[in-house]
Each structure stands twice: as C-alpha cells, then as structure tokens.
Amino acid sequence: MTANTEIRPFRIDIPRAELDDLAERLARTRWAPQLPGDRWRRGVPVDYLRDLTDYWRSGYDWREHEAELNAHPQFTTEIDGQTVHFLHVRSPEPDALPLILTHGWPGSIVEFLDVIGPLSDPRSHGADPATAFDLVIPSLPGFGFSPAPTGAGWNTRRVAVAFAELMARLGYRRYGAQGGDLGAFVSPDLGRVDADHVVGVHVNAATVGFIPFGDVPEDDLATFTDAERQRYERMRRFLSDGNAYFQMQATRPQTLAYGLTDSPVGQLAWIMEKFAEWSHGDGVPEDVIDRNRLLTNATVYWLTGTAGPAANMYYENMHADGWPTPSATPTGVAVFAEDVSIRRYGERLNTITRWTEFDRGGHFAALEAPDLFVDDVRAFFATLR
C-alpha cells in the first residue's frame, strides 16, 4: 500500500458547544480546601486558581486567540501512521533558512507565537533580513492538534524521525532545528537521524545529554563555577522535590488522564504549577508571561483532550531502549536563568559551537524572553547558512 503523503490545509474551528461545555464545567468546579502552610509549597493555591478560573470563564476570549493561531498557515499530514499538525510560515525573504521549532511539555505551538514574526520577517522587525527563517512549527504527536498516536512507541526519537520526513516532504534539504524541554530531546536527535540535512541544532531548557547523570563526585564539584554549582543544586532540588509529575506521567499516564480530561480546573492546575515553578520570576506566572498566552496554551490541551496522550510521551521515553549517541552536528545551547545545562556534560554527546548564558528568562524562553531567544537563534545560525 502506498503511504499517504498528502499535505492538507488545516484551520482551527472549535464548535460553540465545546466552548459552552468548558464554561459550564468551570462554573461547576468542586473546589478543594486550601491546605495549611506557605503559598505554593504544597501546590497551586486555591485563591490563585479561583481567580484564574474566573477569568478563564468570563474574561478570556478563545475566539480571539483562535483567530491569532489561524492567522498562520496550518496543515496536517500523515507520517508513520500518525497525523502531524504544523504551522508553516514562509519568510518573505528568498534566501531564508528553514527552521523547525519544537515545543515541550506543558507547552504547545502557542509558545512560539511571539517569535514567529521576528524570526520569519526580521526586516519588518528592524533586523537584518539575512537572518530570516522559513518556520515549521509542529504539534508533537499526542499534543494539541496532533491527535493521540494509535500505537505504542512514540518516544522523542521516533518523533525526530517523523519530523525529518516532514521537512523532506516540505522540500527542505537543508535546515536547522530548535527546541526546548521535550523539543531539546527531539532537536538533537534530528541532528543525529538526519545529519546530512540538519545544518545545526539550537536548544534551550535542555536536560538529558546536557546534565550529569547521577551524583557528581566531590572532586568534580570542586571545579564547578558558581553558576554551574547553582544549576546542579537546582537540578538536585528538582529530582528530590519537583519531579512527582514526571514520575506519574512516566509510569501511569492513563490513570492521570481521567482527571485531567474530565476537569478543566484540574488540568489547569497541573499545567500552571510548572509555569509557576519553571518560569523566572517571583512564582506568579502572569508576572512574566501574558495571562492570555497561558490560558490559550491550557485551552489547547483542554479542547483537544490531549493531556493524557501528552503525558504518555514521558512513559514512552522512559521505556525506550538506548541512550543518545555522540553527534557531530553543530549545536548551540541557550542557558536561561532557570535552566540546568552544564557545558562540560553537554560536550560529551554534542558538538557545541555556541554556549550562551542569560540572567533572565526561564524554561519557557520564547514566552518569557522572546528578545533574547530570537537574538540567540539568529546568532547561532548566522554562521551556518
């Protein structure tokens, strides 16, 4: 049987009944009591979540943000039996470098809305037109408008293989890859599985392949810079006190899926906890990321029912064989203020040609510090065009 390689136009058009259902569920929320102790220490505070939920129900306008998403050309195509949704924003500049941007969890294509214009059309944003990119921004399989895989095995390595096929199907024989969080798994793997075509890989919020595995001996710790020691301690705190979500998603994603798929407030809390913990600020996500952006991201998860399938990618990764192999593809690493990457560990598996450290921005760099994100992506790929 011949594989279906058709690329089909796609437009988001959520039925009114689904938006009404969301509003009704929000209005009927059965609220948990506030536990004692410091705010945020035991999870998302009730008063914070009530306020955000009230705005989601009565102040937030999905249609406005749906239209913003639809302002960018969108498509779907079938690869390896999986429907892949993606934005494809061509630059007005004829010599633009193709670049695939890959989000992570609990993000989505919404993460990149503020950088699409500056990256694809730098001339209109006061920058050198020679830095322009043709952008391909896929929804990871099982996230948002890329529906849940129908079979097992969709780990980030398999996604990289699928995205290599996507870029080939679009006619790109020479391109760059950028990603954060799970995207920082997929993008380096693109440099491995499609090395003949990937000119360079840029990552942020990078972990596996860019951090130590296990405890660091005291002799090595003694050679750490202050910044490296801070990142190492941040990573240790995460492993001891911040990775319960990881363990749940990596071991029992199906059990978790019921609550997140049935309760929009439950799903919102699950997502917002990580925006609070991983963004660079005072612990209130809206102080560093626009409230409407945060809710658009959460609403995409809710309306597509993909909280469970997205969690399942953690299960697939933890139950996959193998470890990343060394890559010769030029790699740039942007280390924002909340990141944990340490160069000496990244160099064991990656050919790092640019390493940049910032004193602001966090895990969601394209949302928190789009100016720094754009400048670093431009600078890294400037020598690879």
Side-chain angles (χ1 to χ4, degrees):
M1 179 180 294
T2 303
N4 180 8
T5 61
E6 179 186 6
I7 295 175
R8 300 173 295 277
F10 180 88
R11 183 175 177 82
I12 304 168
D13 186 14
I14 301 300
R16 180 73 252 174
E18 294 189 26
L19 300 178
D20 291 342
D21 176 71
L22 171 58
E24 291 167 6
R25 288 172 182 264
L26 294 175
R28 295 198 312 268
T29 300
R30 183 186 184 202
W31 290 98
Q34 178 64 53
L35 300 176
D38 295 339
R39 286 175 56 80
W40 292 97
R41 189 67 185 86
R42 303 181 193 218
V44 181
V46 175
D47 59 345
Y48 168 83
L49 198 62
R50 274 185 177 272
D51 178 69
L52 187 58
T53 298
D54 286 344
Y55 179 73
W56 195 10
R57 182 171 62 88
S58 59
Y60 173 79
D61 182 0
W62 164 257
R63 291 300 187 204
E64 175 187 344
H65 302 286
E66 180 183 71
E68 184 180 11
L69 287 165
N70 282 332
H72 302 294
Q74 297 175 63
F75 304 87
T76 61
T77 193
E78 184 178 311
I79 303 174
D80 191 13
Q82 166 68 28
T83 297
V84 175
H85 163 264
F86 61 99
L87 277 61
H88 190 194
V89 182
R90 295 185 183 273
S91 173
E93 305 298 336
D95 297 323
L97 176 69
L99 178 66
I100 182 168
L101 298 171
T102 304
H103 66 82
W105 182 91
S108 66
I109 57 171
V110 174
E111 286 188 60
F112 298 115
L113 286 175
D114 295 327
V115 302
I116 289 175
L119 289 176
S120 65
D121 190 8
R123 187 190 301 269
S124 295
H125 291 78
D128 185 352
T131 64
F133 297 92
D134 277 350
L135 298 177
V136 178
I137 309 175
S139 298
L140 286 167
F143 288 68
F145 301 101
S146 288
T150 57
W154 276 95
N155 56 37
T156 48
R157 178 79 171 202
R158 186 170 175 183
V159 171
V161 173
F163 285 1
E165 169 60 24
L166 173 61
M167 296 303 278
R169 196 170 292 182
L170 293 172
Y172 294 134
R173 295 295 179 263
R174 188 173 184 275
Y175 66 95
Q178 197 289 325
D181 189 79
L182 289 174
F185 288 53
V186 174
S187 299
D189 272 346
L190 264 169
R192 296 180 175 95
V193 304
D194 202 19
D196 290 343
H197 303 113
V198 176
V199 301
V201 168
H202 182 278
V203 295
N204 65 284
T207 53
V208 174
F210 298 88
I211 57 175
F213 185 72
D215 292 333
V216 174
E218 286 296 327
D219 289 348
D220 289 347
L221 276 176
T223 69
F224 276 26
T225 66
D226 288 344
E228 288 173 335
R229 187 177 293 273
Q230 289 171 12
R231 287 182 215 131
Y232 178 63
E233 290 304 319
R234 192 179 303 125
M235 184 187 72
R236 286 171 59 87
R237 286 196 300 272
F238 167 79
L239 292 175
S240 64
D241 190 51
N243 75 337
Y245 82 96
F246 183 102
Q247 295 298 328
M248 190 66 186
Q249 296 193 157
T251 59
R252 299 295 186 272
Q254 185 65 61
T255 302
L256 176 66
Y258 300 114
L260 300 187
T261 305
D262 186 61
S263 169
V265 168
Q267 183 202 248
L268 183 64
W270 190 251
I271 290 175
M272 292 308 298
E273 177 186 295
K274 298 312 168 195
F275 275 93
E277 291 190 355
W278 297 347
S279 55
H280 182 61
D282 59 4
V284 180
E286 292 95 315
D287 288 350
V288 290
I289 302 173
D290 179 75
R291 173 176 271 199
N292 287 313
R293 284 279 186 264
L294 292 166
L295 286 173
T296 299
N297 179 70
T299 307
V300 166
Y301 276 89
W302 174 260
L303 294 175
T304 58
T306 50
N312 188 60
M313 188 168 286
Y314 284 77
Y315 182 95
E316 297 290 1
N317 278 353
M318 289 299 291
H319 292 80
D321 295 328
W323 188 253
T325 55
S327 171
T329 302
T331 300
V333 183
V335 185
F336 290 88
E338 293 295 322
D339 288 340
V340 295
S341 305
I342 297 174
R343 182 164 188 163
R344 67 185 72 189
Y345 298 103
E347 287 179 335
R348 294 178 180 179
L349 291 174
N350 307 279
T351 303
I352 296 175
T353 59
R354 179 180 175 86
W355 182 277
T356 316
E357 300 181 6
F358 299 102
D359 60 4
R360 63 182 173 93
H363 190 85
F364 309 97
L367 284 171
E368 296 180 57
D371 56 335
L372 299 181
F373 179 91
V374 167
D375 287 348
D376 205 63
V377 169
R378 286 174 177 163
F380 171 67
F381 285 106
T383 61
L384 300 172
R385 290 177 176 269

